[in-house]
Amino acid sequence: MLETIIVIAMLQSVEGLPKGIHCDFPAADTGGKPVRVVLDPMPSLKDQPGLYRVMMEIEGKLTLKAAVQPIKSTKERDVLIRAKSPREAIVTLGMRADGAAALTMSTPGAQTAKTQSTRIGACKGAEHHINRWLPS
């Protein structure tokens, strides 16, 4: 009986955790389409201090494995999330503890030049995860 109560309490605490991080990046111009990114933290036994795993879903169409690490070169509480697609496209998302974010997408172009776009936006639902990823 006591074991059942403990299992139910554990399941309820897991259900109370945030269900991912939702980031919205409006278009730079008025005719462009906004970009939505959903980050799903995937805690793993292979996580190392300062390097965490997440799944990054872009526009509900592309899902990439990504890594989160603290940005140590700034005074802000912020993280860098980086993913690389099989076709060598690189997606980076910088996020501060207050939810402000920047998304950069780089795709390989001609032999030396790269096409790159950056958008400024905001993320919601990151508070719990930021506290786990960043030291106090």
Side-chain angles (χ1 to χ4, degrees):
M1 180 72 173
L2 182 59
E3 293 172 357
T4 305
I5 294 171
I6 292 172
V7 169
I8 291 171
M10 288 174 47
L11 289 174
Q12 287 176 343
S13 68
V14 169
E15 288 177 6
L17 294 177
K19 300 286 190 228
I21 302 166
H22 299 272
C23 303
D24 292 305
F25 299 93
D29 57 6
T30 56
K33 182 181 173 190
V35 174
R36 174 155 237 196
V37 177
V38 177
L39 301 167
D40 186 15
M42 305 296 288
S44 169
L45 293 175
K46 294 181 182 179
D47 284 343
Q48 302 169 12
L51 189 62
Y52 306 94
R53 296 170 191 257
V54 297
M55 295 301 287
M56 179 185 285
E57 182 181 288
I58 302 170
E59 287 299 314
K61 299 175 185 174
L62 176 64
T63 302
L64 303 170
K65 291 180 183 178
V68 178
Q69 62 186 46
I71 300 175
K72 297 178 182 176
S73 61
T74 65
K75 293 181 180 180
E76 299 286 335
R77 289 178 43 87
D78 47 12
V79 295
L80 177 69
I81 303 163
R82 185 175 187 272
K84 191 173 186 180
S85 77
R87 295 184 179 174
E88 302 298 316
I90 297 172
V91 180
T92 56
L93 192 153
M95 180 174 43
R96 285 196 321 228
D98 65 2
L103 176 71
T104 302
M105 295 181 274
S106 303
T107 56
Q111 294 176 357
T112 58
K114 284 191 175 184
T115 306
Q116 187 176 47
S117 70
T118 300
R119 293 181 180 213
I120 305 299
C123 297
K124 294 182 180 177
E127 297 81 16
H128 169 76
H129 304 292
I130 289 280
N131 289 333
R132 187 172 60 89
W133 294 333
L134 294 174
S136 297

